[in-house]
């Protein structure tokens, strides 16, 4: 299962290079992960209320092309791996069918004091179910993305990095 | 050569987990890289003025322990690799001699239109010089860090992830 | 004319008080202003491309109740005042029909060098038109808000400030 | 009493207008307030640990000139007003002796559930003492600022707004 969240690049997310700052993608990936957990039936705010935390212990992003202010980016999230105390999500950021970035985050399940604990049984099953349901290709594969909102035509001649 | 920048964790950088948000580290690493470039004699704002950009094309962070509001973290930066059109920096985030995180960023040298260009000769030499001058151990190695400011005693019992 | 933008509070926007950080509202207000300009037919990225800037010269926010992670806030924007070289927008942030915050921003029209210039004639007319079309009550007045997305039920007992 | 905190403008704090984004000032003012509370002997993290919160209920910023990446801004904070359940701080942001912005924040004292409570007696006295000790002129008055770090020469011809 793959969840795609459309996000419009905010002015505050740009930097003086004239494109979205690279740290913004980390926030977008988190927003897509939050949406993913909501859709599989285990909203993160409910996990937190039950005493569970999923802090990021590893983060990787590869940037392929810049995102511009006002552009709508499609941020997709899916489960890559589930362990007894950890889970890995992977992401793709696309716009107009073009890959802008991809990455993953690894999370360790913790209690309120920051001690590693096993993933709650229900969460682990939901993630495993969501994982096995979709094994066909990378996240953000163009044909499967749900473009909920049209993004504005891009006329700038920005190159590919 | 390794440059260490002390930064006090801002309240705005925390999240409701009660510690610094993982995206804040990406901003800290950038601040340490900016300090590094300044100290080797090639401030980034001067590079930009001369038409050169160093966008991040790859980012990786491993988080080992949380950083708390008010805590002073030591963010060190050094050159890991220099190529004709790219450079990689690596980082460590420490507090009170304890490793909180480490990571690297890879940058491709671009002109103002986002097209890859060779690193300016002067910059390449500065980075290579800074690179060869220090080959002894990982960044943030405790004994070499410059603790410019005392950090406040930490009494919270937060575990290690 | 009043434009309302629904935004889901991001985890990265919370702080360790457990609610959205007060600086996040400033970013939300900007996002609503960007949406407003788009809907009246003068998208900000087109204004910028034509050499016009609208930097904020004054900002005021009054916070009435906190916003929580995952909550959908409705951020409304409308024109409050249009002058030859300046414009003021006002905002309301609501959730579930409850006012969380309100504020305004004043902007001076500038060229690319930061010098004050008159508002472009077309923009001034659009803003004046949007201004005169709606004089009935404060922004975010409950009955007029467009709730595009349902927000999740809030069960926390957070008080009013 | 007035406390001045030097902060170097981060790249991530700029936007595509080429200067620090207006929301960054709100974060800087908070950092100066945190420094103020530390210096008067009541660090905010200790207040929080004792169950006290000081959420912002009102915020105002006036922007006079832009701040640029790499520039060191001096952010000063002082007490403007102390009430039984509220306090107001005022701020100035300067660089090279030039006023860039000023503003204030008003805070209501709350418990952990967000209910208004009286300021702790010790805090109220500290703030009143800090308030009465300095009544001579606006914050950031040039002659009184402590320039801890030299800021880089500014050569851009950016105008005043």
């Amino acid at each position: 299962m793959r969840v795609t969240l459309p996000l419009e690049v905010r002015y505050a997310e740009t930097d003086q290079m004239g494109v979205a700052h690279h740290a913004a993608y980390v926030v977008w990936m988190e927003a897509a992960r939050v949406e993913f957990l909501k859709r599989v039936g285990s909203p993160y705010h409910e996990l937190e209320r039950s005493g569970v935390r999923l802090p990021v212990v590893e983060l990787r992003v590869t940037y392929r092309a810049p995102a511009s202010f006002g552009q709508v980016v499609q941020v997709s999230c899916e489960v890559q791996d589930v362990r007894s105390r950890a889970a890995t999500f992977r992401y793709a950021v696309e716009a107009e069918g073009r890959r802008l970035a991809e990455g993953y985050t690894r999370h360790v399940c913790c209690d309120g004091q920051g001690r590693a604990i096993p993933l709650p049984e229900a969460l682990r099953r939901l993630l495993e179910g969501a994982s096995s349901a979709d094994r066909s290709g990378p996240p953000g594969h163009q044909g499967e993305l749900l473009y909920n909102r049209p993004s504005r035509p891009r006329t700038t001649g920005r190159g590919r990095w």
Side-chain angles (χ1 to χ4, degrees), chain A:
Chain A
M1 182 183 156
R2 176 180 310 147
V3 166
T4 300
L5 182 69
L7 292 173
E8 186 169 330
V9 178
R10 298 174 178 181
Y11 200 85
E13 290 170 336
T14 65
D15 60 29
Q16 70 183 38
M17 217 179 286
V19 294
H21 188 267
H22 59 286
Y25 293 69
V26 179
V27 175
W28 300 343
M29 284 159 54
E30 179 180 71
R33 183 170 68 248
V34 164
E35 186 67 21
F36 181 93
L37 290 171
K38 192 196 294 175
R39 296 231 199 130
V40 297
S42 184
Y44 192 64
H45 69 270
E46 289 185 6
L47 283 171
E48 279 203 329
R49 209 170 292 159
S50 71
V52 171
R53 307 281 179 276
L54 291 174
V56 175
V57 294
E58 200 178 311
L59 162 70
R60 183 163 179 174
V61 190
T62 304
Y63 302 87
R64 302 196 178 280
S68 301
F69 163 60
Q71 198 174 23
V72 174
V73 294
Q74 306 289 338
V75 190
S76 61
C77 174
E78 62 183 350
V79 175
Q80 181 175 293
D81 187 50
V82 187
R83 303 288 173 94
S84 64
R85 292 165 179 249
T88 303
F89 296 89
R90 54 179 175 169
Y91 311 87
V93 180
E94 300 211 345
E96 292 112 58
R98 184 189 190 194
R99 179 70 61 94
L100 304 187
E102 69 242 357
Y104 68 82
T105 55
R106 202 166 69 84
H107 303 256
V108 166
C109 191
C110 291
D111 64 13
Q113 279 67 50
R115 286 176 301 232
I117 54 169
L119 287 170
E121 180 66 14
L123 174 62
R124 196 176 54 72
R125 279 190 200 161
L126 285 171
L127 295 182
E128 284 173 351
S131 176
S132 59
D134 185 275
R135 287 295 188 200
S136 52
H141 178 272
Q142 188 179 345
E144 305 183 36
L145 273 173
L146 306 171
Y147 284 90
N148 306 0
R149 284 199 285 177
S151 56
R152 66 178 173 86
R154 301 283 308 137
T155 56
T156 117
R158 293 228 164 244
R160 221 162 209 276
W161 289 328

